[in-house]
């Protein structure tokens, strides 16, 4: 009675680093398990280089899966863990040894070859699991939340190492994650999922700058979303033009291609880093502007996030880069400020 992956059609290209991104329970791990062969689709086909692999058992598929828990054998050394799959395939011993040494060098663990998993750090165990997954040279490597157990700094370092390994080996990588920054960093393309449905497939830049729905805009990064109604438009049939909105008394002009017509209910979305904040009213009357009180400030090191409560009671976010090494901020709690943004900074969402 429960549909985990619903009527999904998806193309993943050879040698692509592809991400499945979505909240817990959206179906991304179920989809990956179907690709690996641990789950069978109730209908449809799974094609790998034109060949239907539906019904083929996992151990006969040219894929390999790296589990979130790593699933290393605790009684085996690092090199034995890496060699396990190759031994199961009954490869010649000389070829196994060569392949194991290649993998150890690739993940920079040559000096840890004789250690057991219990003698390694979390990051080192993650590398062993990756080397074991790559040793059989699968056509597709499936990574299920592979960096979830690592601390933030190590996770960021490992993301770039994963990208380097993928480019070096020329393999197709498919990663499942709910970490937006991780997906944005490593991916050539991202599929955003919700309740078993693909909401949007695009490059990280397109997902961030041009989300196709309110769900995708709200899920990726920080964003201001205002409900509004189309007042006028010079755009027609999806052509570029200026769309004017009434967002609960706040007049907003947006330059973009838009299928909405006068009277349509829409949403206006704008990223905090595209909103300027100042104590003085903008001199340019052509920009969008809102007036309000600084309600809260988040200091995040490289930038500060300002929460501004406007006169009509809504809260808007503005991000300002901390380019100067100043402890005292020129704008602080309780200040009355102006928020402004250009007409091409935001986006009208029709769904």
């Amino acid at each position: 009675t429960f549909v985990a992956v619903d009527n999904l059609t998806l193309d993943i290209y050879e040698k692509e680093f592809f991400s499945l991104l979505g909240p817990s329970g959206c179906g991304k791990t179920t989809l990956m398990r179907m690709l690996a062969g641990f789950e069978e689709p109730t209908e449809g086909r799974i094609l790998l280089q034109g060949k239907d692999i539906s019904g083929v058992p996992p151990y006969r598929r040219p894929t390999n899966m790296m589990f979130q828990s790593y699933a290393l054998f605790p009684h085996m050394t690092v090199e034995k863990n890496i060699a396990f799959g190759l031994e199961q395939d009954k490869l010649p011993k000389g070829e196994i040894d060569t392949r194991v040494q290649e993998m150890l060098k690739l993940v920079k663990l040559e000096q840890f070859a004789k250690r057991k998993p219990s003698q390694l750090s979390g990051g080192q165990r993650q590398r062993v699991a990756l080397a074991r997954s790559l040793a059989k040279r699968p056509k597709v490597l499936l990574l299920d939340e592979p960096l979830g157990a690592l601390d933030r700094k190590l996770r960021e370092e490992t993301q770039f190492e994963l990208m380097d390994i993928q480019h070096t080996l020329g393999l197709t990588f498919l990663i499942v994650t709910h970490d937006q920054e991780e997906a944005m960093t490593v991916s050539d393309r991202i599929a955003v999922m919700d309740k078993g449905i693909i909401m949007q497939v695009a490059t990280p830049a397109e997902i961030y700058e041009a989300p196709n729905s309110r769900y995708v805009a709200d899920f990726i990064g920080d964003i201001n979303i205002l409900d509004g109604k189309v007042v006028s438009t010079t755009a027609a049939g999806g052509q570029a033009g200026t769309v004017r909105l009434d967002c609960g008394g706040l007049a907003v002009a947006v330059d973009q291609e838009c299928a909405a017509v006068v009277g349509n209910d829409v949403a206006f979305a704008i990223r905090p880093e595209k909103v300027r904040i100042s104590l003085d009213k903008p001199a340019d009357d052509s920009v969008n502007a809102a007036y309000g009180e600084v309600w809260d400030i988040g200091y995040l090191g490289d930038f500060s996030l300002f929460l501004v409560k406007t006169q009509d009671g809504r809260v808007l976010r503005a991000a300002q880069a901390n380019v100067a090494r100043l402890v005292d901020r020129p704008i602080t709690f309780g200040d009355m400020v102006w928020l402004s943004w250009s007409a091409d900074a935001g986006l009208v969402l029709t769904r």
Side-chain angles (χ1 to χ4, degrees):
T1 59
F2 181 78
V3 180
V5 177
D6 190 4
N7 192 29
L8 181 144
T9 299
L10 180 64
D11 289 319
I12 298 172
Y13 306 128
E14 189 176 7
K15 299 182 181 180
E16 184 175 36
F17 205 133
F18 192 90
S19 290
L20 292 173
L21 177 65
S24 298
C26 73
K28 55 189 187 295
T29 298
T30 301
L31 177 57
M32 174 171 280
R33 288 176 62 83
M34 285 194 288
L35 299 179
F38 300 125
E39 304 282 354
E40 285 298 322
T42 50
E43 59 182 72
R45 298 184 302 163
I46 300 171
L47 300 175
L48 181 55
Q49 292 184 326
K51 181 182 177 182
D52 189 357
I53 59 172
S54 304
V56 177
Y59 56 89
R60 293 198 182 278
R61 296 190 182 195
T63 63
N64 220 333
M65 187 164 178
M66 180 178 162
F67 296 95
Q68 185 176 2
S69 62
Y70 306 150
L72 299 175
F73 298 111
H75 61 289
M76 292 184 183
T77 62
V78 166
E79 59 185 2
K80 283 292 186 183
N81 264 284
I82 297 172
F84 180 79
L86 304 174
E87 291 171 349
Q88 295 299 303
D89 289 346
K90 296 182 169 51
L91 266 63
K93 187 177 185 306
E95 186 176 343
I96 291 175
D97 291 343
T98 301
R99 194 87 64 87
V100 168
Q101 291 307 312
E102 286 176 0
M103 292 300 106
L104 286 170
K105 185 177 181 181
L106 187 68
V107 297
K108 302 179 178 67
L109 286 177
E110 299 104 308
Q111 68 269 40
F112 300 101
K114 302 298 182 184
R115 290 194 184 184
K116 301 280 183 68
S118 61
Q119 298 171 304
L120 303 174
S121 69
Q124 289 165 343
R125 285 196 293 271
Q126 184 264 348
R127 290 163 187 253
V128 177
L130 178 61
R132 185 180 64 180
S133 300
L134 292 169
K136 293 181 69 173
R137 294 176 182 166
K139 290 181 180 176
V140 181
L141 180 64
L142 307 170
L143 303 116
D144 186 12
E145 304 270 9
L147 312 181
L150 306 182
D151 64 73
R152 181 181 177 86
K153 189 171 180 60
L154 184 57
R155 189 163 66 244
E156 289 174 352
E157 292 173 0
T158 309
Q159 287 168 8
F160 287 100
E161 289 175 357
L162 271 179
M163 294 163 64
D164 291 340
I165 289 171
Q166 190 258 343
H167 286 301
T168 299
L169 298 179
L171 298 178
T172 304
F173 276 25
L174 174 65
I175 186 171
V176 158
T177 181
H178 62 266
D179 187 318
Q180 302 155 27
E181 289 185 14
E182 183 173 294
M184 298 282 284
T185 300
V186 303
S187 307
D188 295 313
R189 288 190 305 149
I190 299 171
V192 182
M193 293 188 68
D194 181 40
K195 299 176 183 175
I197 298 172
I198 297 287
M199 303 300 291
Q200 184 174 2
V201 181
T203 64
E206 288 172 317
I207 291 279
Y208 188 82
E209 298 289 355
N212 66 358
S213 66
R214 184 170 183 152
Y215 174 82
V216 175
D218 200 27
F219 187 77
I220 302 293
D222 200 4
I223 198 164
N224 297 297
I225 298 182
L226 308 177
D227 291 313
K229 189 180 290 289
V230 178
V231 175
S232 68
T233 176
T234 59
Q239 299 300 309
T242 300
V243 182
R244 298 192 181 277
L245 310 176
D246 176 13
C247 296
L250 177 65
V252 177
V254 189
D255 290 346
Q256 73 168 84
E257 294 181 5
C258 186
V261 297
V262 175
N264 281 172
D265 291 323
V266 295
F268 171 69
I270 186 166
R271 301 285 179 188
E273 68 271 15
K274 301 185 190 302
V275 179
R276 296 184 292 273
I277 182 170
S278 64
L279 295 170
D280 302 318
K281 185 176 181 178
D284 186 355
D285 291 333
S286 66
V287 302
N288 298 288
Y291 188 63
E293 179 186 356
V294 176
W295 200 253
D296 215 341
I297 302 173
Y299 177 74
L300 302 174
D302 52 348
F303 71 94
S304 294
L305 185 65
F306 296 86
L307 273 61
V308 177
K309 193 168 187 178
T310 61
Q311 291 173 313
D312 54 12
R314 80 182 87 219
V315 175
L316 296 177
R317 295 168 177 243
Q320 187 178 66
N322 296 322
V323 291
R325 192 171 174 270
L326 296 174
V327 177
D328 296 327
R329 304 185 191 89
I331 298 175
T332 189
F333 298 93
D335 283 350
M336 299 304 295
V337 295
W338 285 91
L339 302 179
S340 60
W341 60 92
S342 60
D344 61 356
L347 195 67
V348 176
L349 301 173
T350 56
R351 68 184 184 98

PDB file of all heavy atoms in Angstrom, residues 109-139:
ATOM      1  N   LEU A 109      46.456   4.980   2.024  1.00  0.00           N
ATOM      2  CA  LEU A 109      46.465   4.160   3.246  1.00  0.00           C
ATOM      3  C   LEU A 109      47.532   3.067   3.190  1.00  0.00           C
ATOM      4  O   LEU A 109      47.404   2.040   3.854  1.00  0.00           O
ATOM      5  CB  LEU A 109      45.089   3.511   3.459  1.00  0.00           C
ATOM      6  CG  LEU A 109      43.949   4.407   3.941  1.00  0.00           C
ATOM      7  CD1 LEU A 109      42.646   3.616   4.020  1.00  0.00           C
ATOM      8  CD2 LEU A 109      44.257   5.024   5.298  1.00  0.00           C
ATOM      9  N   GLU A 110      48.599   3.288   2.401  1.00  0.00           N
ATOM     10  CA  GLU A 110      49.620   2.236   2.261  1.00  0.00           C
ATOM     11  C   GLU A 110      50.201   1.806   3.594  1.00  0.00           C
ATOM     12  O   GLU A 110      50.406   0.607   3.837  1.00  0.00           O
ATOM     13  CB  GLU A 110      50.763   2.716   1.342  1.00  0.00           C
ATOM     14  CG  GLU A 110      50.339   3.053  -0.077  1.00  0.00           C
ATOM     15  CD  GLU A 110      50.257   4.540  -0.300  1.00  0.00           C
ATOM     16  OE1 GLU A 110      49.572   5.229   0.498  1.00  0.00           O
ATOM     17  OE2 GLU A 110      50.858   5.033  -1.278  1.00  0.00           O
ATOM     18  N   GLN A 111      50.439   2.769   4.500  1.00  0.00           N
ATOM     19  CA  GLN A 111      51.085   2.437   5.772  1.00  0.00           C
ATOM     20  C   GLN A 111      50.140   1.767   6.773  1.00  0.00           C
ATOM     21  O   GLN A 111      50.575   1.308   7.830  1.00  0.00           O
ATOM     22  CB  GLN A 111      51.730   3.674   6.411  1.00  0.00           C
ATOM     23  CG  GLN A 111      50.754   4.727   6.900  1.00  0.00           C
ATOM     24  CD  GLN A 111      50.441   5.760   5.849  1.00  0.00           C
ATOM     25  OE1 GLN A 111      50.291   5.435   4.674  1.00  0.00           O
ATOM     26  NE2 GLN A 111      50.336   7.015   6.272  1.00  0.00           N
ATOM     27  N   PHE A 112      48.830   1.713   6.431  1.00  0.00           N
ATOM     28  CA  PHE A 112      47.860   1.107   7.341  1.00  0.00           C
ATOM     29  C   PHE A 112      47.370  -0.255   6.838  1.00  0.00           C
ATOM     30  O   PHE A 112      46.389  -0.793   7.342  1.00  0.00           O
ATOM     31  CB  PHE A 112      46.654   2.031   7.512  1.00  0.00           C
ATOM     32  CG  PHE A 112      46.999   3.378   8.082  1.00  0.00           C
ATOM     33  CD1 PHE A 112      47.110   4.505   7.256  1.00  0.00           C
ATOM     34  CD2 PHE A 112      47.234   3.534   9.435  1.00  0.00           C
ATOM     35  CE1 PHE A 112      47.435   5.747   7.774  1.00  0.00           C
ATOM     36  CE2 PHE A 112      47.563   4.778   9.963  1.00  0.00           C
ATOM     37  CZ  PHE A 112      47.664   5.873   9.140  1.00  0.00           C
ATOM     38  N   ALA A 113      48.062  -0.836   5.866  1.00  0.00           N
ATOM     39  CA  ALA A 113      47.589  -2.058   5.205  1.00  0.00           C
ATOM     40  C   ALA A 113      47.410  -3.224   6.171  1.00  0.00           C
ATOM     41  O   ALA A 113      46.505  -4.047   5.996  1.00  0.00           O
ATOM     42  CB  ALA A 113      48.560  -2.444   4.090  1.00  0.00           C
ATOM     43  N   LYS A 114      48.239  -3.311   7.196  1.00  0.00           N
ATOM     44  CA  LYS A 114      48.201  -4.458   8.116  1.00  0.00           C
ATOM     45  C   LYS A 114      47.318  -4.217   9.338  1.00  0.00           C
ATOM     46  O   LYS A 114      47.188  -5.097  10.195  1.00  0.00           O
ATOM     47  CB  LYS A 114      49.628  -4.786   8.593  1.00  0.00           C
ATOM     48  CG  LYS A 114      50.608  -5.101   7.476  1.00  0.00           C
ATOM     49  CD  LYS A 114      50.213  -6.337   6.674  1.00  0.00           C
ATOM     50  CE  LYS A 114      51.242  -6.653   5.594  1.00  0.00           C
ATOM     51  NZ  LYS A 114      50.807  -7.803   4.743  1.00  0.00           N
ATOM     52  N   ARG A 115      46.708  -3.058   9.433  1.00  0.00           N
ATOM     53  CA  ARG A 115      45.876  -2.765  10.608  1.00  0.00           C
ATOM     54  C   ARG A 115      44.478  -3.334  10.445  1.00  0.00           C
ATOM     55  O   ARG A 115      43.985  -3.542   9.330  1.00  0.00           O
ATOM     56  CB  ARG A 115      45.784  -1.254  10.835  1.00  0.00           C
ATOM     57  CG  ARG A 115      47.086  -0.631  11.299  1.00  0.00           C
ATOM     58  CD  ARG A 115      46.838   0.758  11.834  1.00  0.00           C
ATOM     59  NE  ARG A 115      48.079   1.439  12.206  1.00  0.00           N
ATOM     60  CZ  ARG A 115      48.139   2.635  12.767  1.00  0.00           C
ATOM     61  NH1 ARG A 115      47.013   3.306  12.999  1.00  0.00           N
ATOM     62  NH2 ARG A 115      49.293   3.189  13.068  1.00  0.00           N
ATOM     63  N   LYS A 116      43.821  -3.546  11.591  1.00  0.00           N
ATOM     64  CA  LYS A 116      42.421  -3.957  11.607  1.00  0.00           C
ATOM     65  C   LYS A 116      41.535  -2.696  11.664  1.00  0.00           C
ATOM     66  O   LYS A 116      41.991  -1.630  12.101  1.00  0.00           O
ATOM     67  CB  LYS A 116      42.141  -4.827  12.843  1.00  0.00           C
ATOM     68  CG  LYS A 116      42.990  -6.100  12.941  1.00  0.00           C
ATOM     69  CD  LYS A 116      42.424  -7.180  12.067  1.00  0.00           C
ATOM     70  CE  LYS A 116      43.215  -8.477  12.214  1.00  0.00           C
ATOM     71  NZ  LYS A 116      43.072  -9.110  13.533  1.00  0.00           N
ATOM     72  N   PRO A 117      40.279  -2.787  11.262  1.00  0.00           N
ATOM     73  CA  PRO A 117      39.392  -1.609  11.292  1.00  0.00           C
ATOM     74  C   PRO A 117      39.308  -0.925  12.654  1.00  0.00           C
ATOM     75  O   PRO A 117      39.179   0.298  12.732  1.00  0.00           O
ATOM     76  CB  PRO A 117      38.037  -2.195  10.881  1.00  0.00           C
ATOM     77  CG  PRO A 117      38.387  -3.345  10.003  1.00  0.00           C
ATOM     78  CD  PRO A 117      39.631  -3.933  10.598  1.00  0.00           C
ATOM     79  N   SER A 118      39.395  -1.708  13.744  1.00  0.00           N
ATOM     80  CA  SER A 118      39.302  -1.126  15.090  1.00  0.00           C
ATOM     81  C   SER A 118      40.488  -0.232  15.421  1.00  0.00           C
ATOM     82  O   SER A 118      40.436   0.556  16.368  1.00  0.00           O
ATOM     83  CB  SER A 118      39.191  -2.234  16.137  1.00  0.00           C
ATOM     84  OG  SER A 118      40.331  -3.073  16.097  1.00  0.00           O
ATOM     85  N   GLN A 119      41.564  -0.354  14.642  1.00  0.00           N
ATOM     86  CA  GLN A 119      42.771   0.446  14.877  1.00  0.00           C
ATOM     87  C   GLN A 119      42.810   1.698  13.995  1.00  0.00           C
ATOM     88  O   GLN A 119      43.823   2.383  13.963  1.00  0.00           O
ATOM     89  CB  GLN A 119      44.018  -0.414  14.608  1.00  0.00           C
ATOM     90  CG  GLN A 119      44.122  -1.622  15.524  1.00  0.00           C
ATOM     91  CD  GLN A 119      45.231  -2.572  15.099  1.00  0.00           C
ATOM     92  OE1 GLN A 119      45.252  -3.038  13.957  1.00  0.00           O
ATOM     93  NE2 GLN A 119      46.169  -2.830  15.996  1.00  0.00           N
ATOM     94  N   LEU A 120      41.708   1.978  13.319  1.00  0.00           N
ATOM     95  CA  LEU A 120      41.649   3.113  12.401  1.00  0.00           C
ATOM     96  C   LEU A 120      40.678   4.165  12.892  1.00  0.00           C
ATOM     97  O   LEU A 120      39.753   3.874  13.648  1.00  0.00           O
ATOM     98  CB  LEU A 120      41.216   2.639  11.011  1.00  0.00           C
ATOM     99  CG  LEU A 120      42.041   1.556  10.323  1.00  0.00           C
ATOM    100  CD1 LEU A 120      41.372   1.139   9.030  1.00  0.00           C
ATOM    101  CD2 LEU A 120      43.459   2.035  10.066  1.00  0.00           C
ATOM    102  N   SER A 121      40.875   5.400  12.425  1.00  0.00           N
ATOM    103  CA  SER A 121      39.924   6.470  12.718  1.00  0.00           C
ATOM    104  C   SER A 121      38.712   6.321  11.807  1.00  0.00           C
ATOM    105  O   SER A 121      38.717   5.535  10.849  1.00  0.00           O
ATOM    106  CB  SER A 121      40.577   7.828  12.489  1.00  0.00           C
ATOM    107  OG  SER A 121      40.815   8.026  11.105  1.00  0.00           O
ATOM    108  N   GLY A 122      37.668   7.106  12.085  1.00  0.00           N
ATOM    109  CA  GLY A 122      36.464   7.055  11.252  1.00  0.00           C
ATOM    110  C   GLY A 122      36.753   7.396   9.803  1.00  0.00           C
ATOM    111  O   GLY A 122      36.244   6.750   8.881  1.00  0.00           O
ATOM    112  N   GLY A 123      37.579   8.401   9.586  1.00  0.00           N
ATOM    113  CA  GLY A 123      37.927   8.793   8.226  1.00  0.00           C
ATOM    114  C   GLY A 123      38.720   7.719   7.501  1.00  0.00           C
ATOM    115  O   GLY A 123      38.533   7.493   6.301  1.00  0.00           O
ATOM    116  N   GLN A 124      39.602   7.037   8.223  1.00  0.00           N
ATOM    117  CA  GLN A 124      40.394   5.962   7.604  1.00  0.00           C
ATOM    118  C   GLN A 124      39.513   4.759   7.268  1.00  0.00           C
ATOM    119  O   GLN A 124      39.677   4.144   6.206  1.00  0.00           O
ATOM    120  CB  GLN A 124      41.527   5.547   8.553  1.00  0.00           C
ATOM    121  CG  GLN A 124      42.608   6.611   8.672  1.00  0.00           C
ATOM    122  CD  GLN A 124      43.532   6.395   9.861  1.00  0.00           C
ATOM    123  OE1 GLN A 124      43.220   5.637  10.789  1.00  0.00           O
ATOM    124  NE2 GLN A 124      44.674   7.074   9.853  1.00  0.00           N
ATOM    125  N   ARG A 125      38.560   4.432   8.140  1.00  0.00           N
ATOM    126  CA  ARG A 125      37.635   3.326   7.845  1.00  0.00           C
ATOM    127  C   ARG A 125      36.799   3.654   6.612  1.00  0.00           C
ATOM    128  O   ARG A 125      36.514   2.779   5.792  1.00  0.00           O
ATOM    129  CB  ARG A 125      36.725   3.059   9.050  1.00  0.00           C
ATOM    130  CG  ARG A 125      37.424   2.347  10.200  1.00  0.00           C
ATOM    131  CD  ARG A 125      36.426   1.759  11.181  1.00  0.00           C
ATOM    132  NE  ARG A 125      35.680   2.779  11.894  1.00  0.00           N
ATOM    133  CZ  ARG A 125      36.073   3.340  13.035  1.00  0.00           C
ATOM    134  NH1 ARG A 125      37.228   2.970  13.586  1.00  0.00           N
ATOM    135  NH2 ARG A 125      35.336   4.260  13.633  1.00  0.00           N
ATOM    136  N   GLN A 126      36.412   4.924   6.496  1.00  0.00           N
ATOM    137  CA  GLN A 126      35.647   5.340   5.321  1.00  0.00           C
ATOM    138  C   GLN A 126      36.462   5.127   4.052  1.00  0.00           C
ATOM    139  O   GLN A 126      35.938   4.689   3.021  1.00  0.00           O
ATOM    140  CB  GLN A 126      35.247   6.808   5.496  1.00  0.00           C
ATOM    141  CG  GLN A 126      34.367   7.369   4.407  1.00  0.00           C
ATOM    142  CD  GLN A 126      35.169   8.118   3.348  1.00  0.00           C
ATOM    143  OE1 GLN A 126      36.350   8.401   3.532  1.00  0.00           O
ATOM    144  NE2 GLN A 126      34.530   8.398   2.251  1.00  0.00           N
ATOM    145  N   ARG A 127      37.756   5.382   4.097  1.00  0.00           N
ATOM    146  CA  ARG A 127      38.620   5.194   2.929  1.00  0.00           C
ATOM    147  C   ARG A 127      38.773   3.723   2.582  1.00  0.00           C
ATOM    148  O   ARG A 127      38.837   3.364   1.394  1.00  0.00           O
ATOM    149  CB  ARG A 127      39.996   5.806   3.194  1.00  0.00           C
ATOM    150  CG  ARG A 127      40.014   7.317   3.247  1.00  0.00           C
ATOM    151  CD  ARG A 127      41.301   7.788   3.908  1.00  0.00           C
ATOM    152  NE  ARG A 127      41.289   9.222   4.134  1.00  0.00           N
ATOM    153  CZ  ARG A 127      42.023  10.086   3.425  1.00  0.00           C
ATOM    154  NH1 ARG A 127      42.783   9.661   2.453  1.00  0.00           N
ATOM    155  NH2 ARG A 127      41.976  11.367   3.699  1.00  0.00           N
ATOM    156  N   VAL A 128      38.851   2.881   3.609  1.00  0.00           N
ATOM    157  CA  VAL A 128      38.946   1.434   3.356  1.00  0.00           C
ATOM    158  C   VAL A 128      37.682   0.942   2.652  1.00  0.00           C
ATOM    159  O   VAL A 128      37.748   0.182   1.678  1.00  0.00           O
ATOM    160  CB  VAL A 128      39.156   0.648   4.674  1.00  0.00           C
ATOM    161  CG1 VAL A 128      39.169  -0.854   4.402  1.00  0.00           C
ATOM    162  CG2 VAL A 128      40.446   1.066   5.353  1.00  0.00           C
ATOM    163  N   ALA A 129      36.531   1.378   3.149  1.00  0.00           N
ATOM    164  CA  ALA A 129      35.261   0.984   2.530  1.00  0.00           C
ATOM    165  C   ALA A 129      35.198   1.453   1.080  1.00  0.00           C
ATOM    166  O   ALA A 129      34.722   0.732   0.194  1.00  0.00           O
ATOM    167  CB  ALA A 129      34.090   1.557   3.323  1.00  0.00           C
ATOM    168  N   LEU A 130      35.710   2.653   0.821  1.00  0.00           N
ATOM    169  CA  LEU A 130      35.716   3.184  -0.541  1.00  0.00           C
ATOM    170  C   LEU A 130      36.649   2.363  -1.427  1.00  0.00           C
ATOM    171  O   LEU A 130      36.288   1.989  -2.556  1.00  0.00           O
ATOM    172  CB  LEU A 130      36.153   4.652  -0.518  1.00  0.00           C
ATOM    173  CG  LEU A 130      36.252   5.354  -1.875  1.00  0.00           C
ATOM    174  CD1 LEU A 130      34.890   5.381  -2.567  1.00  0.00           C
ATOM    175  CD2 LEU A 130      36.783   6.774  -1.698  1.00  0.00           C
ATOM    176  N   ALA A 131      37.837   2.050  -0.905  1.00  0.00           N
ATOM    177  CA  ALA A 131      38.800   1.249  -1.678  1.00  0.00           C
ATOM    178  C   ALA A 131      38.228  -0.136  -1.994  1.00  0.00           C
ATOM    179  O   ALA A 131      38.404  -0.655  -3.103  1.00  0.00           O
ATOM    180  CB  ALA A 131      40.109   1.121  -0.900  1.00  0.00           C
ATOM    181  N   ARG A 132      37.571  -0.755  -1.016  1.00  0.00           N
ATOM    182  CA  ARG A 132      36.972  -2.072  -1.250  1.00  0.00           C
ATOM    183  C   ARG A 132      35.889  -1.998  -2.330  1.00  0.00           C
ATOM    184  O   ARG A 132      35.762  -2.900  -3.160  1.00  0.00           O
ATOM    185  CB  ARG A 132      36.390  -2.625   0.052  1.00  0.00           C
ATOM    186  CG  ARG A 132      35.848  -4.046  -0.071  1.00  0.00           C
ATOM    187  CD  ARG A 132      35.297  -4.547   1.239  1.00  0.00           C
ATOM    188  NE  ARG A 132      34.138  -3.766   1.670  1.00  0.00           N
ATOM    189  CZ  ARG A 132      33.474  -4.007   2.808  1.00  0.00           C
ATOM    190  NH1 ARG A 132      33.878  -4.980   3.598  1.00  0.00           N
ATOM    191  NH2 ARG A 132      32.447  -3.264   3.136  1.00  0.00           N
ATOM    192  N   SER A 133      35.114  -0.920  -2.310  1.00  0.00           N
ATOM    193  CA  SER A 133      34.047  -0.754  -3.299  1.00  0.00           C
ATOM    194  C   SER A 133      34.609  -0.532  -4.699  1.00  0.00           C
ATOM    195  O   SER A 133      34.014  -0.953  -5.692  1.00  0.00           O
ATOM    196  CB  SER A 133      33.158   0.436  -2.916  1.00  0.00           C
ATOM    197  OG  SER A 133      32.575   0.254  -1.654  1.00  0.00           O
ATOM    198  N   LEU A 134      35.767   0.122  -4.782  1.00  0.00           N
ATOM    199  CA  LEU A 134      36.361   0.438  -6.076  1.00  0.00           C
ATOM    200  C   LEU A 134      37.230  -0.678  -6.631  1.00  0.00           C
ATOM    201  O   LEU A 134      37.519  -0.698  -7.829  1.00  0.00           O
ATOM    202  CB  LEU A 134      37.206   1.713  -5.954  1.00  0.00           C
ATOM    203  CG  LEU A 134      36.453   3.014  -5.692  1.00  0.00           C
ATOM    204  CD1 LEU A 134      37.430   4.120  -5.338  1.00  0.00           C
ATOM    205  CD2 LEU A 134      35.636   3.407  -6.918  1.00  0.00           C
ATOM    206  N   ALA A 135      37.653  -1.592  -5.775  1.00  0.00           N
ATOM    207  CA  ALA A 135      38.629  -2.615  -6.174  1.00  0.00           C
ATOM    208  C   ALA A 135      38.139  -3.473  -7.335  1.00  0.00           C
ATOM    209  O   ALA A 135      38.924  -3.869  -8.206  1.00  0.00           O
ATOM    210  CB  ALA A 135      38.982  -3.498  -4.981  1.00  0.00           C
ATOM    211  N   LYS A 136      36.828  -3.741  -7.385  1.00  0.00           N
ATOM    212  CA  LYS A 136      36.277  -4.584  -8.454  1.00  0.00           C
ATOM    213  C   LYS A 136      35.986  -3.795  -9.735  1.00  0.00           C
ATOM    214  O   LYS A 136      35.474  -4.338 -10.707  1.00  0.00           O
ATOM    215  CB  LYS A 136      34.998  -5.269  -7.968  1.00  0.00           C
ATOM    216  CG  LYS A 136      35.248  -6.295  -6.863  1.00  0.00           C
ATOM    217  CD  LYS A 136      33.971  -6.962  -6.414  1.00  0.00           C
ATOM    218  CE  LYS A 136      33.405  -7.866  -7.491  1.00  0.00           C
ATOM    219  NZ  LYS A 136      32.255  -8.657  -7.010  1.00  0.00           N
ATOM    220  N   ARG A 137      36.331  -2.517  -9.709  1.00  0.00           N
ATOM    221  CA  ARG A 137      36.154  -1.621 -10.863  1.00  0.00           C
ATOM    222  C   ARG A 137      34.730  -1.702 -11.422  1.00  0.00           C
ATOM    223  O   ARG A 137      34.524  -2.078 -12.577  1.00  0.00           O
ATOM    224  CB  ARG A 137      37.182  -1.957 -11.943  1.00  0.00           C
ATOM    225  CG  ARG A 137      38.599  -1.667 -11.499  1.00  0.00           C
ATOM    226  CD  ARG A 137      39.614  -2.086 -12.507  1.00  0.00           C
ATOM    227  NE  ARG A 137      40.976  -1.832 -12.020  1.00  0.00           N
ATOM    228  CZ  ARG A 137      42.081  -2.342 -12.563  1.00  0.00           C
ATOM    229  NH1 ARG A 137      41.988  -3.120 -13.626  1.00  0.00           N
ATOM    230  NH2 ARG A 137      43.268  -2.077 -12.064  1.00  0.00           N
ATOM    231  N   PRO A 138      33.759  -1.343 -10.596  1.00  0.00           N
ATOM    232  CA  PRO A 138      32.371  -1.405 -11.060  1.00  0.00           C
ATOM    233  C   PRO A 138      32.092  -0.325 -12.088  1.00  0.00           C
ATOM    234  O   PRO A 138      32.774   0.712 -12.127  1.00  0.00           O
ATOM    235  CB  PRO A 138      31.571  -1.138  -9.776  1.00  0.00           C
ATOM    236  CG  PRO A 138      32.481  -0.276  -8.953  1.00  0.00           C
ATOM    237  CD  PRO A 138      33.873  -0.784  -9.233  1.00  0.00           C
ATOM    238  N   LYS A 139      31.085  -0.550 -12.931  1.00  0.00           N
ATOM    239  CA  LYS A 139      30.686   0.480 -13.887  1.00  0.00           C
ATOM    240  C   LYS A 139      29.986   1.629 -13.171  1.00  0.00           C
ATOM    241  O   LYS A 139      30.053   2.777 -13.606  1.00  0.00           O
ATOM    242  CB  LYS A 139      29.771  -0.124 -14.953  1.00  0.00           C
ATOM    243  CG  LYS A 139      30.492  -1.074 -15.897  1.00  0.00           C
ATOM    244  CD  LYS A 139      29.550  -1.636 -16.943  1.00  0.00           C
ATOM    245  CE  LYS A 139      30.289  -2.581 -17.881  1.00  0.00           C
ATOM    246  NZ  LYS A 139      29.368  -3.219 -18.859  1.00  0.00           N
TER     247      LYS A 139
END
